[in-house]
Amino acid sequence: MSMISVKGLRKNFGKHEVLKGIDIEIQPGEVVAIVGPSGCGKSTFLRCLNLLEKPSGGSILYHDVDLVSGAPKETNKVLLGMGMVFQQFNLFPHKTVLDNITLAPIKVQGTGKREAEERALKLLRTVGLEDKRDAYPNQLSGGQQQRIAIARSLALQPEVMLFDEPTSALDPEMVGEVLDVMKKLAADGMTMLVVTHEMGFAREAADRVIFIDGGVIVEDSEPKEFFAHPKNKRLQDFLSKML
Ligand code: ADP
Ligand code: MG
């Protein structure tokens, strides 16, 4: 059974129709890479999935709740299962790494301080930054800050992670360390939707790659097929410019 079932999802900003009917089923443990030209609606799609943007129509079924038509009381509850990582890391500048990671579990989930810290330290090991627990964000590189942002999101124990161009703001030499953390997460079975321009990551780590164009998904296939035999003409053009 699908974990997330999206049907006819639409989003417009005033008269501008950005999403014109997105249909996609996400299975538990699946890693889906989302690619497409700038401005095609990739971020809007992810933001509609967790209601950072209010969808204009269609349905998003998640844990038997339709996020589009459901009451806030219901949707807020199930949305705790989704974590998100953005291009900008947005760590709290005046808090240490450990406090950045434990803040939401303590305040939002009511987790005890001790348990929250134990979980945080485990996550710091996962992202390879155990020694930075007492550092402040401005003492870290961009790649390190993004790895902390991933740990912070994981601290809320989501079952699906949404990544919106998590490496686009990084200097090239730091992209790899963040992708490595994401690959590890994927290998551990996390369900992930990843908007990315990193075609290498899409090829290696994704189970499926989707291409959005004109407000709809025009290609949805396994990476091998997606890159070797793209069917959609716009995707062919897109790939020829990327590679
Ligand atoms: P992508 O992430 O694929 O680059 P976006 O989802 O950010 O694209 O944006 C898709 C389109 O929607 C763009 O034309 C953008 O200008 C528009 N858009 C996005 N967010 C807003 C908003 N809050 N208000 C008005 N227009 C928006
Ligand atoms: Mg975007």
Side-chain angles (χ1 to χ4, degrees):
M1 208 182 99
S2 302
M3 177 187 274
I4 307 173
S5 173
V6 179
K7 292 203 170 77
L9 178 66
R10 290 184 290 108
K11 175 65 185 177
N12 52 277
F13 295 104
K15 282 189 179 139
H16 184 191
E17 266 196 300
V18 177
L19 304 179
K20 299 181 184 174
I22 298 277
D23 296 297
I24 187 169
E25 303 282 322
I26 311 290
Q27 309 305 322
E30 224 178 4
V31 176
V32 179
I34 301 165
V35 304
S38 178
C40 74
K42 303 179 296 296
S43 296
T44 302
F45 171 52
L46 279 197
R47 294 169 62 83
C48 280
L49 275 188
N50 67 0
L51 301 187
L52 286 179
E53 294 287 355
K54 189 177 166 19
S56 309
S59 65
I60 304 169
L61 211 60
Y62 179 53
H63 287 288
D64 295 327
V65 176
D66 179 2
L67 301 180
V68 178
S69 63
K73 195 168 168 248
E74 300 273 295
T75 59
N76 286 340
K77 201 162 98 192
V78 296
L79 281 173
L80 294 173
M82 289 191 200
M84 186 152 178
V85 171
F86 303 86
Q87 186 173 331
Q88 299 301 338
F89 343 115
N90 301 322
L91 297 173
F92 305 113
H94 302 299
K95 293 197 181 296
T96 64
V97 161
L98 195 67
D99 287 344
N100 262 280
I101 300 175
T102 57
L103 188 74
I106 292 171
K107 299 271 187 222
V108 180
Q109 288 182 327
T111 308
K113 189 163 190 256
R114 183 109 165 254
E115 190 189 335
E117 290 193 348
E118 274 169 20
R119 206 190 291 163
L121 291 173
K122 209 167 143 212
L123 287 166
L124 281 174
R125 274 197 291 281
T126 305
V127 301
L129 292 170
E130 225 179 337
D131 56 332
K132 300 295 185 191
R133 53 173 285 172
D134 297 319
Y136 287 87
N138 66 5
Q139 299 171 315
L140 303 176
S141 71
Q144 290 172 333
Q145 289 187 55
Q146 189 60 301
R147 283 146 71 195
I148 298 298
I150 293 172
R152 180 175 62 174
S153 185
L154 290 172
L156 288 166
Q157 301 180 302
E159 62 170 2
V160 48
M161 286 285 286
L162 313 178
F163 290 89
D164 192 359
E165 299 199 31
T167 61
S168 293
L170 299 176
D171 291 332
E173 71 270 23
M174 292 169 190
V175 169
E177 67 194 59
V178 173
L179 293 180
D180 284 348
V181 166
M182 292 167 63
K183 284 179 193 165
K184 195 149 79 178
L185 261 186
D188 285 347
M190 178 62 80
T191 307
M192 295 166 52
L193 276 78
V194 185
V195 172
T196 186
H197 294 294
E198 297 293 333
M199 295 300 138
F201 174 85
R203 198 191 293 264
E204 284 170 46
D207 297 300
R208 275 156 76 196
V209 189
I210 67 173
F211 180 69
I212 299 179
D213 187 59
V216 295
I217 295 175
V218 293
E219 193 110 355
D220 178 345
S221 50
E222 287 179 14
K224 234 175 156 174
E225 184 71 12
F226 187 92
F227 291 107
H229 306 290
K231 290 180 279 297
N232 179 272
K233 175 74 175 65
R234 300 283 283 265
L235 173 58
Q236 292 168 4
D237 292 346
F238 178 78
L239 290 176
S240 69
K241 283 182 203 130
M242 293 294 284
L243 304 172

